[in-house]
Amino acid sequence: MHQPTSLPRRRLLAGSASALAAAGLASFQGQAMAQAAAPAARPLPGYAGFKNADAVIVHSSTTIETRRSAFGSSVVTPTSQLYVRNNLPTPPESIVADRDAWAVQIDGVNRPRQLSLRELKTMGLETVTMVLQCSGNGRGFFPSKPSGTQWTVGAAGCVVWSGVPVRDVVKALGGMAGGMLYMTGTGGEVLPAGLDPKSVLVERSVPLSAMEDALLAWEMNGEPVPLAHGGPLRLIVPGYTGVNNIKYIKQLAFTAKESEAHIMSHGYRISPPGSKGDPSQPSVQEMSVKSWINSPIPEDGNRAAGLVQIQGVAFGGMHAIKGVEVSIDGGKSWKQARLVGPDMGRYAWRQFVLPAQLPKGTYQLASRATDVRGNVQPETRGENQSGYNNTSWADHAVTVTVA
Amino acid sequence: MHQPTSLPRRRLLAGSASALAAAGLASFQGQAMAQAAAPAARPLPGYAGFKNADAVIVHSSTTIETRRSAFGSSVVTPTSQLYVRNNLPTPPESIVADRDAWAVQIDGVNRPRQLSLRELKTMGLETVTMVLQCSGNGRGFFPSKPSGTQWTVGAAGCVVWSGVPVRDVVKALGGMAGGMLYMTGTGGEVLPAGLDPKSVLVERSVPLSAMEDALLAWEMNGEPVPLAHGGPLRLIVPGYTGVNNIKYIKQLAFTAKESEAHIMSHGYRISPPGSKGDPSQPSVQEMSVKSWINSPIPEDGNRAAGLVQIQGVAFGGMHAIKGVEVSIDGGKSWKQARLVGPDMGRYAWRQFVLPAQLPKGTYQLASRATDVRGNVQPETRGENQSGYNNTSWADHAVTVTVA
């Protein structure tokens, strides 16, 4: 029994990793768990022990990627296989011991104060489905090999978030103070000792326009937000790359200026190749139109000739998807794919499918999405020093062989 | 560390239960796992070891209910907390070892044949979000205490299914044979020895009209369908109660008559109180409009006076939800609630919310849904011998105290 494709076995592995961590037999970084995570090149870190080890690639103790073959076709990405990218070590589990006691300071409003999660839950409720995507997703396709995790497609997922709209909180606290231009969120991670806090603090500013659909979220995919994904409370900024969605949020401030934390002023900037990040360069914030194929892909092995359902995901970032084209000849010709399954709103991704008869041969499969504003996914990536925002359809194409 | 509210701990418990089962230290029925599932009154059975033990009530080795407090507000029910109701013991894990090799016989078409899951995956793709609900959900509210599991609200969940539309399969096999009136699915469970197969076989017939949106599904909530929920392949009949959604489907036949299996001919019939089931009585098939409140509820304890977000779920069965009213005085007066979050189609449930100021006191909270056809959730249950189809809003009301 217990073949690799068996769900119970995979869960067992994850559970065992947690068990080792809980028993103090593994360090926080998880180096001692090789036994428990045999199918992965690296073991799952303890805080992510509930992940499906067969569905993810563990790049490091703070970076875990969903396998392209694991995305499936059911729209929502299960929490058990959603990517992880933490900028600092995960806070201790004690912060999710009494979730409702978590407190966030709200500043830059007319009546600034601290609010507990218990209080936030009484103030309003909204649910938003959103593509959560790391700014560096697709970095692995840059020929320049920028430093950082070599993500291909799996630093992204489509997640249902529930919480209180930020605008309801602002209203309850007397409205925004005058002169504010940014919404600035500060993470509650424990900062490493001996360093200038500004050099490591996770604090990001987004334009005020991003507040309209933003949430302070305590639930994702029907469960309390796990510690691995920012629980007990995470700032959700739909349409904005992952780093702007502050985990363990301890302060939400409306500010006249952008944060001076390094991660805002110099990190996550679109820097010309060869240059360093600085505040004059565009910050990595709003996502734009993108798609990729998840099946068939090379890792599934050769396929028999005949009918195949070419499928993948497409999202517009800030705008809904209008349509997706698929090519089987590397972009020489395109056919319109069909959007499949529920439309979960403009920030969610859509599944697409194109049935195709494929005789024996080798095919370059590509997808190209268009959003409702008419923005078309580009052929080429925008070159930048750190490998951010790769939406190139050519980079995301796959070559498959039909035997 | 490791408080009861901590997700990693709950997963750990589930994983540990699996671990015991995998090591042969627990029987299939799971009786030996008490140590691993302390928070539940009964331990999780081995095949369901991946469930979140804190989010479910284990009634027996084949019946597991989602706790009312666990539904949350993110629309989709995580697989880790979805209810289980099996009519026979779960098949061995070996059937999910090579999922693509699973075969289903298609009969009552012009070119009947066996199709492997590998072949089905090439034939078409659709994704449907659907309320899966046991016919007996709400049985626990019948004062007559019908025999069977005493489900309250948790034998239901909203699930995203992906697979091939049955109509695509029929088309590929030359269309339906003449004179057929029913779609009949047969489960692949191992039948207990020494009994007449018809007395135990899980085989159900639904009217041909149910074929239109039916799927042969291999994926749920973004993952291969777990064995616990009918993997590798399950017949999905949107809008129909759980028993009609045949697990481990090994035969799908278009037939001129209903199945003569006992579960069809005498089981799951709406029988007048005091009588036995027989084929002349209505079969439990299409669901109808229903809703209930998930927060606040008594098990969450007393609440502080002030603003509260009254929330719950509503679905129409065959038709989309038009609206939901909420009462705080046991149905004397009603206010229109707001539908929250994504609309995932007519078979899915919607979340609803009504903000209310509640001074100190005791409140009877009720919800009443209306579908787009104008069907209104009734105040009273339809009495029947086996406690099926309870949609009474009065039965689903809760009494909460504000301190």
Side-chain angles (χ1 to χ4, degrees), chain A residues 1-12 15-16 18-23 46-47 50 52 70-81 93-94 96-99 120-129 160-163 168 218-227 303 307-309 311 338-345 351-353, chain B residues 1-12 15-16 18-23 46-47 50 52 70-81 93-94 96-99 118 121-129 160-163 168 218-227 303 307-309 311 338-345 351-353:
Chain A
M1 67 181 295
H2 293 307
Q3 301 301 311
T5 50
S6 149
L7 181 64
R9 175 173 172 272
R10 290 184 279 146
R11 300 279 187 169
L12 163 62
S16 301
S18 278
L20 289 176
Y47 70 90
F50 64 93
N52 177 342
F71 277 113
S73 51
S74 307
V75 190
V76 175
T77 305
T79 307
S80 61
Q81 58 189 56
E93 269 202 43
S94 55
V96 288
D98 181 2
R99 291 171 173 270
L120 289 171
K121 286 179 175 174
T122 70
M123 295 172 73
L125 181 73
E126 193 47 86
T127 297
V128 173
T129 310
V160 186
W161 301 95
S162 292
D168 287 357
W218 50 79
E219 190 180 308
M220 66 177 280
N221 290 347
E223 291 182 304
V225 181
L227 186 66
R303 303 180 69 92
L307 187 61
V308 58
Q309 305 287 326
Q311 55 185 280
R338 177 171 61 92
L339 299 177
V340 183
D343 176 355
M344 297 183 73
Q351 307 278 153
F352 64 84
V353 63
Chain B
M1 66 181 295
H2 294 308
Q3 300 302 311
T5 50
S6 150
L7 181 63
R9 176 172 173 272
R10 290 185 276 146
R11 300 278 186 169
L12 163 64
S16 300
S18 279
L20 290 175
Y47 70 89
F50 64 93
N52 177 341
F71 278 113
S73 52
S74 307
V75 191
V76 175
T77 306
T79 307
S80 62
Q81 58 188 56
E93 270 202 44
S94 54
V96 288
D98 181 2
R99 290 171 174 272
R118 185 176 289 106
K121 286 179 176 174
T122 70
M123 296 171 72
L125 181 72
E126 193 47 86
T127 297
V128 173
T129 311
V160 186
W161 301 94
S162 293
D168 287 355
W218 51 80
E219 191 180 307
M220 65 178 280
N221 290 348
E223 291 182 304
V225 181
L227 186 67
R303 302 180 70 91
L307 188 60
V308 58
Q309 305 287 327
Q311 54 184 281
R338 177 172 61 92
L339 299 178
V340 182
D343 177 355
M344 297 183 73
Q351 306 278 154
F352 63 84
V353 64

Side-chain angles (χ1 to χ4, degrees), chain B residues 268-281:
Chain B
Y268 293 89
R269 296 279 170 175
I270 301 291
S271 315
S275 71
K276 289 188 173 177
D278 74 55
S280 72
Q281 299 157 352

Side-chain angles (χ1 to χ4, degrees), chain A residues 38-316:
Chain A
R42 298 183 195 209
L44 287 165
Y47 70 90
F50 64 93
K51 296 277 171 183
N52 177 342
D54 287 352
V56 297
I57 302 157
V58 180
H59 290 288
S60 75
S61 64
T62 55
T63 48
I64 302 172
E65 179 168 10
T66 308
R67 289 187 186 278
R68 194 166 188 160
S69 57
F71 277 113
S73 51
S74 307
V75 190
V76 175
T77 305
T79 307
S80 61
Q81 58 189 56
L82 182 66
Y83 84 100
V84 172
R85 196 279 187 252
N86 285 342
N87 278 282
L88 286 174
T90 309
E93 269 202 43
S94 55
I95 71 167
V96 288
D98 181 2
R99 291 171 173 270
D100 284 353
W102 182 262
V104 56
Q105 176 68 33
I106 312 293
D107 282 332
V109 290
N110 286 317
R111 292 196 298 272
R113 58 164 291 204
Q114 203 174 52
L115 290 168
S116 68
L117 178 45
R118 184 176 289 106
E119 290 169 295
L120 289 171
K121 286 179 175 174
T122 70
M123 295 172 73
L125 181 73
E126 193 47 86
T127 297
V128 173
T129 310
M130 180 188 92
V131 174
L132 184 74
Q133 181 182 227
C134 182
S135 314
N137 199 28
R139 179 184 291 129
F141 298 130
F142 278 71
S144 57
K145 296 293 168 206
S147 70
T149 306
Q150 299 301 301
W151 311 107
T152 59
V153 300
C158 188
V159 180
V160 186
W161 301 95
S162 292
V164 59
V166 170
R167 59 180 191 276
D168 287 357
V169 176
V170 170
K171 196 174 168 189
L173 299 187
M176 202 176 296
M180 301 311 179
L181 297 173
Y182 299 94
M183 178 170 73
T184 298
T186 311
E189 292 93 344
V190 178
L191 300 186
L195 296 172
D196 175 5
K198 276 191 184 168
S199 70
V200 285
L201 188 67
V202 178
E203 185 174 273
R204 295 277 302 172
S205 301
V206 295
L208 275 192
S209 60
M211 186 186 75
E212 187 54 29
D213 292 325
L215 300 181
L216 287 167
W218 50 79
E219 190 180 308
M220 66 177 280
N221 290 347
E223 291 182 304
V225 181
L227 186 66
H229 295 293
L233 190 67
R234 184 168 186 174
L235 175 64
I236 294 301
V237 188
Y240 280 60
T241 54
V243 71
N244 299 291
N245 296 264
I246 302 292
K247 295 173 176 175
Y248 335 106
I249 188 163
K250 72 171 184 188
Q251 186 181 60
L252 182 68
F254 299 94
T255 55
K257 294 186 177 175
E258 283 186 354
S259 166
E260 292 179 353
H262 185 269
I263 198 173
M264 184 73 217
S265 59
H266 293 75
Y268 293 89
R269 295 280 169 176
I270 301 291
S271 315
S275 71
K276 290 189 173 177
D278 76 54
S280 73
Q281 301 156 352
S283 184
V284 179
Q285 294 181 327
E286 296 185 357
M287 296 188 288
S288 52
V289 63
K290 184 170 179 178
S291 71
W292 63 81
I293 286 165
N294 287 321
S295 178
I297 53 174
E299 44 263 64
D300 290 339
N302 288 356
R303 303 180 69 92
L307 187 61
V308 58
Q309 305 287 326
I310 302 172
Q311 55 185 280
V313 294
F315 55 100

Side-chain angles (χ1 to χ4, degrees), chain B residues 52-391:
Chain B
N52 177 341
D54 287 352
V56 299
I57 302 157
V58 180
H59 290 287
S60 75
S61 63
T62 55
T63 48
I64 302 172
E65 179 168 9
T66 309
R67 288 188 186 277
R68 194 165 188 160
S69 57
F71 278 113
S73 52
S74 307
V75 191
V76 175
T77 306
T79 307
S80 62
Q81 58 188 56
L82 181 67
Y83 85 99
V84 172
R85 195 280 188 251
N86 285 341
N87 277 282
L88 286 174
T90 307
E93 270 202 44
S94 54
I95 72 167
V96 288
D98 181 2
R99 290 171 174 272
D100 284 353
W102 181 263
V104 55
Q105 175 69 33
I106 313 292
D107 283 330
V109 290
N110 286 318
R111 291 196 298 271
R113 59 164 288 204
Q114 203 173 53
L115 290 169
S116 69
L117 177 46
R118 185 176 289 106
E119 291 170 293
L120 289 171
K121 286 179 176 174
T122 70
M123 296 171 72
L125 181 72
E126 193 47 86
T127 297
V128 173
T129 311
M130 180 187 92
V131 174
L132 184 74
Q133 181 183 228
C134 182
S135 314
N137 199 28
R139 179 184 290 130
F141 298 129
F142 279 71
S144 58
K145 295 294 166 205
S147 70
T149 306
Q150 299 301 300
W151 311 108
T152 60
V153 299
C158 189
V159 180
V160 186
W161 301 94
S162 293
V164 60
V166 170
R167 60 178 190 277
D168 287 355
V169 176
V170 170
K171 196 175 167 190
L173 300 186
M176 202 176 297
M180 301 311 179
L181 297 174
Y182 299 94
M183 178 170 73
T184 298
T186 311
E189 292 93 344
V190 178
L191 300 185
L195 295 172
D196 175 5
K198 276 191 185 169
S199 71
V200 285
L201 188 67
V202 178
E203 185 175 272
R204 295 278 302 173
S205 301
V206 294
L208 275 192
S209 59
M211 186 186 75
E212 187 54 29
D213 291 326
L215 299 182
L216 286 167
W218 51 80
E219 191 180 307
M220 65 178 280
N221 290 348
E223 291 182 304
V225 181
L227 186 67
H229 295 293
L233 191 67
R234 184 168 186 174
L235 176 64
I236 295 301
V237 188
Y240 280 61
T241 55
V243 70
N244 300 290
N245 296 265
I246 302 293
K247 295 173 176 174
Y248 336 104
I249 188 162
K250 70 171 184 186
Q251 185 180 61
L252 182 68
F254 298 94
T255 55
K257 293 185 177 176
E258 283 187 354
S259 165
E260 292 179 352
H262 185 269
I263 198 173
M264 185 72 218
S265 60
H266 293 75
Y268 293 89
R269 296 279 170 175
I270 301 291
S271 315
S275 71
K276 289 188 173 177
D278 74 55
S280 72
Q281 299 157 352
S283 184
V284 179
Q285 293 179 327
E286 295 184 358
M287 296 189 287
S288 51
V289 63
K290 184 170 178 178
S291 71
W292 62 80
I293 285 164
N294 288 322
S295 178
I297 53 175
E299 44 263 64
D300 290 339
N302 289 355
R303 302 180 70 91
L307 188 60
V308 58
Q309 305 287 327
I310 302 171
Q311 54 184 281
V313 294
F315 55 101
M318 303 301 290
H319 314 294
I321 281 295
K322 184 180 178 188
V324 182
E325 300 158 289
V326 166
S327 173
I328 63 170
D329 56 12
K332 291 188 190 78
S333 65
W334 298 90
K335 280 191 180 169
Q336 198 70 31
R338 177 172 61 92
L339 299 178
V340 182
D343 177 355
M344 297 183 73
R346 67 182 177 124
Y347 300 116
W349 66 27
R350 299 295 308 266
Q351 306 278 154
F352 63 84
V353 64
L354 180 77
Q357 286 286 351
L358 299 186
K360 275 189 191 179
T362 296
Y363 299 88
Q364 284 191 289
L365 307 184
S367 63
R368 183 171 69 180
T370 302
D371 73 18
V372 291
R373 297 283 180 96
N375 298 303
V376 181
Q377 183 179 359
E379 178 170 1
T380 55
R381 76 193 82 83
E383 297 293 346
N384 64 89
Q385 176 62 16
S386 299
Y388 291 131
N389 289 1
N390 189 350
T391 60

